[in-house]
Amino acid sequence: MPTAAILMIGNELTSGDVRDTNGVWLAQRLERIGVSVTILAAVPDEIEAVARFIEREAVRADFVLVTGGLGGTPDDLTREALAAAFGVGQETVPELAEALRARFTRDPEYAARWADLPVGSRGIENPLGGAPGFAIENVYVLPGLPVEMEVMFESIEGKLATGPPIGSWRRTYNARESEIVDVLVEARERFPGLLVGSYPTFGDAGPRVEVVLKSSDEEQLAAAAQFVATALDT
């Protein structure tokens, strides 16, 4: 099963000033196309922090998805960080710079700076905003603004879809985890590779546990769901 690492960049995320939605959205979309997420993280707007993450995860995962830090303000350092991670310089992509100047006639040179990409990058068009995204080796860099990120991800989604979708089965039980854990352990043993999750809550109605099974094998998922449901629905 192909894997992906997701990185969100921004001081506003690591400080808690802004709630992350990009990571959750990307993880859900990646599962639909059969890509398992191995890590989902946020780092501040610091070149070294971003570069360290990329250096580590680009060799572990099949794909790395990065969002944020592509604007033109001092805290937008993602292009520089990716260049540092891959040990390359930056160069202006002429046709991209000219297209940005043509679109942003009120301040063309400010916009043209967005075309200074790490050497070896491939541009990803931003149809809704300004700063373009880019890809370098197996790393795909998208804007932090959700509406722009989402439409740009859809343009590259087909390149990442190399495996069957990861399906899921969910059911909530009025129980404590300790009361159902044996069934969940047996499910993992019976169905190798099956992902088993249990998420407890405690409210006025008493303890509840949501059980989640995931697999890219449809037959395995159906069989596992039947086993768990038979054991716990009685």
Side-chain angles (χ1 to χ4, degrees):
M1 181 185 303
T3 60
I6 300 175
L7 176 66
M8 289 73 63
I9 300 172
N11 294 334
E12 71 279 11
L13 298 174
T14 55
S15 67
D17 289 336
V18 173
R19 183 184 300 274
D20 166 60
T21 59
N22 286 346
V24 172
W25 189 90
L26 283 170
Q28 292 173 343
R29 288 296 291 259
L30 287 167
E31 283 204 341
R32 291 185 199 173
I33 58 173
V35 179
S36 175
V37 175
T38 57
I39 184 171
L40 191 159
V43 298
D45 296 297
E46 298 174 2
I47 291 177
E48 290 187 2
V50 176
R52 282 197 304 269
F53 183 94
I54 298 300
E55 289 170 358
R56 183 181 70 245
E57 298 302 329
V59 297
R60 294 179 176 178
D62 295 297
F63 311 108
V64 180
L65 281 295
V66 179
T67 71
L70 291 179
T73 55
D75 59 342
D76 291 319
L77 302 170
T78 299
R79 286 177 287 268
E80 292 86 342
L82 268 291
F86 285 98
V88 298
Q90 290 179 254
E91 63 181 0
T92 300
V93 180
E95 62 273 19
L96 184 56
E98 287 306 310
L100 289 166
R101 290 188 182 100
R103 285 181 62 191
F104 298 92
T105 55
R106 297 177 66 176
D107 200 344
E109 294 311 312
Y110 174 83
R113 282 182 277 172
W114 300 333
D116 293 340
L117 302 181
V119 174
S121 296
R122 311 177 299 279
I124 301 174
E125 183 182 359
N126 184 344
L128 298 182
F134 63 92
I136 177 169
E137 296 191 14
N138 64 334
V139 180
Y140 296 82
V141 183
L142 307 172
L145 191 64
V147 65
E148 295 180 15
M149 181 277 295
E150 291 171 11
V151 72
M152 290 173 69
F153 174 81
E154 290 171 355
S155 74
I156 65 170
E157 189 172 17
K159 300 174 183 177
L160 312 181
T162 56
I166 300 172
S168 64
W169 177 89
R170 298 169 182 268
R171 188 162 296 180
T172 300
Y173 294 94
N174 296 320
R176 300 179 183 275
E177 281 187 306
S178 59
E179 297 169 340
I180 66 172
V181 65
D182 289 344
V183 173
L184 303 185
V185 169
E186 187 173 350
R188 290 188 62 177
E189 293 174 347
R190 285 188 176 215
F191 305 98
L194 179 74
L195 300 178
V196 180
S198 61
Y199 309 102
T201 56
F202 301 89
D204 294 339
R208 294 164 65 87
V209 182
E210 182 185 32
V211 174
V212 181
L213 309 179
K214 292 187 177 184
S215 177
S216 57
D217 183 328
E218 289 185 15
E219 292 184 1
Q220 181 191 67
L221 181 61
Q226 182 176 9
F227 166 76
V228 172
T230 300
L232 297 183
D233 286 350
T234 55

